[in-house]
């Protein structure tokens, strides 16, 4: 069959080009534009080349020091919440009922924290942790622990981590539950026949069958916690001092607090790049894990 | 190694109080002898997998007992029963190599490492898996995976019986035959009781020395392939086994005569005393019905079509309202669709309410 050339098809994809251009490409280019310029207000801009980027990555400058400190702080935060949320999510998923009305009840309860807007979550914990009127803060102080997230770094971290665990463990649990549900009964029956203990069943069947969903869970939780802004901003505002100033909080301080558009733009681009690289690593790992097809010319 | 006795065994998935007709497995009493190769044959939903799962302990029966070598193990867990089971879809442990998969049941039972290694090697040799011992099991083909499933059963030296739940479903046709011969060879070599569930009569008849045919939750006949072919105890067996299945037609039977469509057929045995209230049918396999040229005194039939299977030709004929399959003898070519059929009296069976009636000599 002869293919007819019809340029009208371009009109059909034009809306997509326009939407993507205005929603993503143009704003991003604006940021790129800012990142290589300096301004002294009055809408006057001066070419600065890669100056902001050099400063950003040099720990001896003020900007570099603040940026790198917030990156390490944020990585530590992500590592802590992953170390808690992933095992906890697996345990929750394993202890969920398999059938009956209890399943629906559990799913609804688990989904609740996921449905709460982020600044509301922040507000909830901000009040919950207050030593004077918050249930958590008041009880901790009453039993003799000196807890105050406004003045103590460790307490602030404790509150922010606990809040994230409360907010997001459900997501990991729901993903793991879906992974567990997809394991055919025959696996459990075979394991029973093979005399496997509960632990051996977990190690040999459940964990390997969950590894795809776990990868997705880790990816989502890493991305999200590395970009976290609203909740810690509402609870601690990045303090005390800079102790809970994560990258995005630092970014907003520079961009809107100091109105240093050039520095903020450079930081945004590097921040974006870090996230892209991590995404790419996860994507590679996931596609490689999925490529385990039976080898050709197996056993006859 | 064990003899398995089922005593009045029955199961319902909706509890013991369910009406008897709804039971997935209706009460059955039978013995599986040690070292036998059995096939459980029947259509989907006939209860054969239920029976298998009762024996393996995955399902606990609503009623009755299961004895292994005379010991009641009805309430024993699957682990305690020492049975092995190969499932419809290959079950392998993804993260382990072939060798670790084979060692898994022994490791779980705390067998010393040296003994495990020796045993795994022996079984891998037997199943021709030795070259793949260090490979990840996920990367193998479906038939190799089924061999691993089977191997996990065989490594245990004390295994009482090996149960197969339609193990060849996902195997390529040309490999099916190989794997089945392998099973048969293993059975001869190891003297193990094997129970094989299938809905494929060829698989059942080639694998087993005793075929147990199930229908609607009941065991309708248990016998050698020849017995099932020559003397089906139930019209279902006649119909289900054989291709084409047995001809079953309503008839009036009195003494040594059966009447169909106003025509009398002479029977080999005497069937006096059939209860008048029951549905009387006669059954005869197509192999024992010949199509011949129409002649006075013969049962006339009209030919609807002839299937040439190469080795043998079967005609689909109509006698009155009844459709039959019949053999077309070599060299005979019917002219037109008018013909007659002749029964071999030695192979005509009489059924009352679907059950075989043994006539008097």
């Amino acid at each position: 069959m002869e293919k007819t050339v019809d340029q009208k098809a371009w009109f059909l994809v034009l809306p997509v080009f326009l939407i993507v251009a205005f929603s993503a490409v143009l704003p991003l280019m604006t940021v790129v534009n800012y990142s290589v310029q300096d301004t002294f207000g009055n809408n006057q801009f001066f070419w600065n080349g890669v100056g902001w980027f050099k400063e950003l990555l040099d720990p001896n400058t003020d900007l570099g020091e603040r940026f790198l400190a917030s990156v390490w702080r944020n990585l530590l935060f992500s590592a802590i919440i992953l170390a808690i949320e992933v095992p906890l999510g697996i345990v929750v998923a394993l202890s969920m009922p398999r059938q009956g009305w209890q399943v629906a009840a559990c799913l609804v309860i688990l989904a609740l924290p996921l449905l709460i807007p982020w600044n509301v979550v922040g507000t909830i914990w901000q009040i919950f942790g207050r030593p004077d009127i918050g249930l958590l803060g008041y009880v901790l102080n009453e039993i003799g622990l000196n807890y105050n997230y406004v003045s103590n770094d460790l307490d602030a971290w404790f509150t922010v981590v606990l809040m994230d665990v409360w907010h997001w463990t459900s997501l990991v649990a729901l993903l793991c539950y879906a992974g567990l549900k997809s394991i055919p009964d025959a696996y459990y029956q075979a394991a029973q026949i093979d005399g496997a203990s509960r632990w051996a069943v977990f190690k040999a069947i459940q964990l390997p069958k969950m590894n795809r969903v776990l990868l997705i869970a880790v990816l989502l939780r890493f991305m999200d916690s590395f970009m976290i802004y609203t909740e810690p901003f509402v609870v601690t505002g990045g303090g005390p001092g800079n102790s809970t100033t994560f990258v995005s909080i630092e970014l907003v301080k520079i961009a809107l607090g100091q109105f240093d558009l050039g520095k903020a733009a450079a930081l945004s681009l590097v921040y974006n790049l870090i996230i892209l690289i991590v995404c790419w690593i996860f994507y590679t790992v996931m596609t490689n894990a999925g490529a385990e097809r039976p080898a050709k010319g197996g056993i006859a | 190694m064990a003899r398995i006795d089922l005593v009045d065994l029955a199961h319902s998935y909706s509890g013991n109080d369910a009406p008897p007709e709804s039971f997935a497995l209706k009460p059955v009493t039978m013995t599986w002898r040690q070292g036998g190769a059995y096939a459980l044959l029947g259509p989907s939903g006939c209860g054969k997998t239920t029976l298998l799962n009762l024996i393996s302990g995955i399902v606990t029966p609503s009623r009755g007992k299961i004895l292994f070598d005379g010991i009641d193990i009805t309430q024993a867990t699957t682990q305690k029963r020492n049975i092995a089971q190969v499932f419809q879809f290959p079950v392998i442990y993804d993260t382990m190599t072939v060798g670790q998969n084979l060692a898994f049941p022994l490791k779980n039972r705390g067998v010393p490492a040296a003994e495990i290694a020796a045993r795994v090697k022996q079984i891998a040799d037997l199943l021709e898996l030795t070259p793949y011992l260090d490979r990840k099991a996920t990367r193998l083909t479906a038939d190799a995976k089924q061999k691993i499933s089977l191997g996990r059963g065989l490594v245990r030296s004390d295994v009482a019986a090996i149960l197969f739940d339609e193990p060849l479903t996902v195997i390529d046709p040309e490999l099916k035959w190989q794997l089945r011969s392998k099973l048969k060879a293993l059975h001869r070599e190891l003297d193990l009781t094997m129970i094989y569930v299938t809905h494929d009569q060829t698989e059942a008849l080639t694998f087993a020395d005793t075929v147990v045919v199930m229908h609607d939750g009941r065991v309708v006949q248990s016998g050698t392939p020849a017995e099932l072919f020559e003397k089906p105890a139930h019209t279902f067996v006649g119909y289900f086994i054989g291709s084409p299945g047995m001809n079953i037609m309503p008839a009036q039977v009195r003494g040594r005569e059966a009447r169909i469509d106003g025509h009398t057929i002479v029977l080999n045995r005497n069937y006096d005393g059939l209860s008048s209230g029951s549905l009387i049918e006669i059954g005869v396999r197509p192999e024992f019905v010949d199509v011949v040229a129409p002649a006075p005194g013969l049962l006339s039939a009209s030919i609807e079509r002839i299937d040439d299977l190469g080795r043998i030709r079967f005609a689909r004929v109509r006698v009155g309202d009844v459709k039959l399959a019949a053999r077309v003898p070599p060299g005979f070519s019917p002219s037109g669709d008018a013909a007659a059929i002749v029964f071999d009296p030695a192979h005509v069976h009489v059924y009352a309410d679907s059950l075989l009636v043994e006539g008097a000599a």
Side-chain angles (χ1 to χ4, degrees):
Chain A
M1 206 178 78
E2 188 82 4
K3 267 191 186 170
T4 52
V5 178
D6 190 351
Q7 304 292 357
K8 268 182 285 185
W10 289 107
F11 287 104
L12 297 177
V13 283
L14 190 65
V16 177
F17 276 128
L18 286 176
I19 290 170
V20 172
F22 277 99
S23 69
V25 180
L26 292 180
L28 187 68
M29 284 306 116
T30 317
V31 174
V32 172
N33 188 29
Y34 282 143
S35 74
V36 291
Q37 301 192 59
D38 196 1
T39 175
F40 301 111
N42 210 10
N43 220 11
Q44 283 181 298
F45 286 90
F46 305 94
W47 176 254
N48 190 28
V50 292
W52 295 131
F53 291 95
K54 276 186 180 162
E55 212 180 310
L56 192 68
L57 299 175
D58 181 359
N60 297 320
T61 63
D62 172 59
L63 177 65
E65 192 191 340
R66 280 166 68 188
F67 171 65
L68 294 173
S70 67
V71 167
W72 288 121
R73 210 176 284 136
N74 214 152
L75 285 175
L76 178 66
F77 175 73
S78 295
I80 293 175
I81 63 111
L82 282 178
I84 299 174
E85 286 174 16
V86 171
L88 190 61
I90 294 174
V91 170
V92 170
L94 285 174
S95 40
M96 272 176 70
R98 290 298 160 79
Q99 51 205 7
W101 60 268
Q102 296 98 324
V103 176
C106 278
L107 291 177
V108 168
I109 291 170
L110 277 180
L112 276 181
L114 301 175
L115 298 175
I116 300 177
W118 295 341
N119 51 356
V120 176
V121 171
T123 311
I124 290 174
W125 282 83
Q126 207 255 352
I127 296 170
F128 190 46
R130 277 176 65 163
D132 50 351
I133 55 166
L135 184 63
L136 176 73
Y138 185 77
V139 169
L140 285 178
N141 280 297
E142 278 302 296
I143 60 173
L145 294 166
N146 185 15
Y147 167 86
N148 187 344
Y149 65 80
V150 182
S151 60
N152 186 320
D153 291 1
L154 214 59
D155 292 350
W157 269 79
F158 172 77
T159 312
V160 174
V161 166
L162 193 64
M163 174 174 64
D164 199 81
V165 168
W166 175 85
H167 195 180
W168 290 110
T169 302
S170 296
L171 179 76
V172 181
L174 290 176
L175 282 168
C176 290
Y177 186 67
L180 283 176
K181 285 281 269 193
S182 69
I183 303 174
D185 279 345
Y187 278 86
Y188 294 112
Q189 294 167 350
Q192 215 183 345
I193 287 165
D194 289 338
S197 61
R198 185 70 196 78
W199 173 242
V201 168
F202 176 70
K203 233 176 59 174
I205 298 172
Q206 293 174 321
L207 199 55
K209 292 280 172 204
M210 274 194 297
N211 73 11
R212 303 295 309 271
V213 287
L214 275 178
L215 262 171
I216 294 171
V218 169
L219 175 66
L220 287 177
R221 283 315 303 133
F222 175 79
M223 301 285 71
D224 222 36
S225 63
F226 199 68
M227 298 189 289
I228 193 164
Y229 175 78
T230 316
E231 301 104 305
F233 182 75
V234 172
V235 176
T236 65
N242 274 334
S243 63
T244 54
T245 302
F246 300 118
V247 183
S248 56
I249 296 179
E250 193 72 86
L251 175 62
V252 171
K253 276 185 187 173
I254 294 171
L256 302 179
Q258 308 166 206
F259 215 71
D260 270 333
L261 289 185
K263 290 179 184 178
L267 198 158
S268 300
L269 288 177
V270 174
Y271 192 14
N272 200 358
L273 203 65
I274 296 175
I275 289 171
L276 273 180
I277 290 172
V278 174
C279 266
W280 176 77
I281 293 172
F282 268 101
Y283 178 78
T284 314
V285 169
M286 269 160 69
T287 40
N288 281 352
E292 286 191 17
R293 291 183 205 92
K296 287 241 157 73
I299 311 168
Chain B
M1 312 261 166
R3 194 190 72 210
I4 302 172
D5 292 291
L6 310 180
V7 184
D8 204 24
L9 191 70
H11 186 70
S12 163
Y13 288 103
S14 39
N16 204 1
D17 302 327
E21 273 314 301
S22 78
F23 269 53
L25 179 71
K26 277 124 196 160
V28 55
T29 297
M30 66 187 303
T31 297
W32 313 75
R33 96 189 163 273
Q34 136 59 25
Y38 291 90
L40 271 173
L41 177 65
S44 301
C46 71
K48 54 196 194 303
T49 297
T50 303
L51 179 52
L52 199 74
N53 288 344
L54 287 172
I55 296 173
S56 67
I58 289 167
V59 177
T60 310
S62 307
R63 282 181 210 165
K65 282 192 291 188
I66 305 168
L67 312 176
F68 281 15
D69 278 336
I71 301 159
D72 186 348
I73 51 91
T74 316
Q75 300 300 330
T77 60
T78 304
Q79 280 103 319
K80 301 238 170 71
R81 291 191 188 192
N82 284 331
I83 45 88
Q85 186 161 351
V86 178
F87 295 90
Q88 190 167 7
F89 297 97
V91 174
I92 46 135
Y93 302 112
D94 296 350
T95 49
M96 302 184 193
T97 62
V98 174
Q100 286 164 335
N101 257 283
L102 292 178
F104 190 64
L106 298 179
K107 238 176 91 187
N108 289 329
R109 287 172 172 78
V111 177
E115 202 176 312
I116 294 181
R119 194 71 193 154
V120 165
K121 191 185 170 309
Q122 189 187 347
I123 294 306
D125 283 345
L126 203 60
L127 294 171
E128 292 153 19
L129 286 171
T130 312
Y132 307 94
L133 274 181
D134 293 325
R135 275 177 55 178
K136 273 261 190 288
T138 30
R139 294 178 180 267
L140 300 177
T141 51
D143 57 310
K145 287 180 181 173
Q146 280 301 47
K147 278 193 191 173
I148 297 170
S149 302
L150 172 62
R152 280 206 314 271
L154 294 175
V155 282
R156 285 154 50 197
S157 48
D158 58 349
V159 74
I162 302 187
L163 314 180
F164 299 89
D165 190 358
E166 312 208 12
L168 302 182
T169 311
V170 293
I171 311 291
D172 289 342
E174 75 260 36
L175 293 175
K176 267 187 189 178
W177 184 81
Q178 286 184 22
L179 206 52
R180 208 163 54 212
S181 331
K182 187 85 206 162
L183 285 182
K184 196 88 182 122
L186 282 174
H187 177 249
R188 277 193 295 269
E189 210 165 318
L190 299 173
D191 188 34
L192 281 167
T193 310
M194 291 190 176
I195 303 175
Y196 189 110
V197 162
T198 179
H199 59 253
D200 180 334
Q201 55 167 311
T202 323
E203 265 178 37
L205 298 177
T206 51
F207 172 80
D209 11 273
T210 309
V211 178
V212 178
V213 184
M214 293 190 66
H215 174 50
D216 197 19
R218 263 180 248 281
V219 171
V220 286
Q221 187 171 11
S222 151
T224 63
E227 281 167 0
L228 296 184
F229 185 78
E230 279 161 17
K231 224 173 167 191
H234 190 281
T235 48
F236 174 78
V237 179
Y239 165 78
F240 193 70
I241 289 178
S243 178
M246 192 183 224
N247 298 309
I248 312 279
M249 55 213 133
Q252 294 90 47
V253 176
R254 188 164 298 121
R256 287 176 180 275
E257 284 178 350
R259 287 183 72 79
I260 316 164
D261 199 25
H263 180 85
T264 303
I265 297 166
V266 180
L267 300 171
N268 248 15
R269 298 171 79 85
N270 189 332
Y271 294 92
D272 272 333
L274 285 174
S275 77
S276 52
S278 46
L279 170 69
I280 305 295
E281 290 165 308
I282 62 168
V284 55
R285 292 214 171 265
E287 286 82 353
F288 305 115
V289 185
D290 278 354
V291 178
V292 294
L298 293 179
L299 179 57
S300 54
S302 64
I303 298 177
E304 295 197 325
R305 69 165 202 271
I306 292 179
D307 298 332
D308 194 339
L309 305 183
R311 196 167 38 86
I312 190 167
R313 287 181 298 164
F314 283 110
R316 306 289 172 163
V317 302
R318 180 187 280 280
V319 177
D321 296 335
V322 189
K323 285 183 174 181
L324 301 179
R327 193 174 71 107
V328 182
F332 174 74
S333 41
S335 52
D337 54 8
I341 50 174
V342 179
F343 295 90
D344 177 349
H347 291 98
V348 177
H349 303 291
V350 175
Y351 295 89
D353 286 336
S354 299
L355 294 174
L356 181 69
V357 181
E358 293 278 0

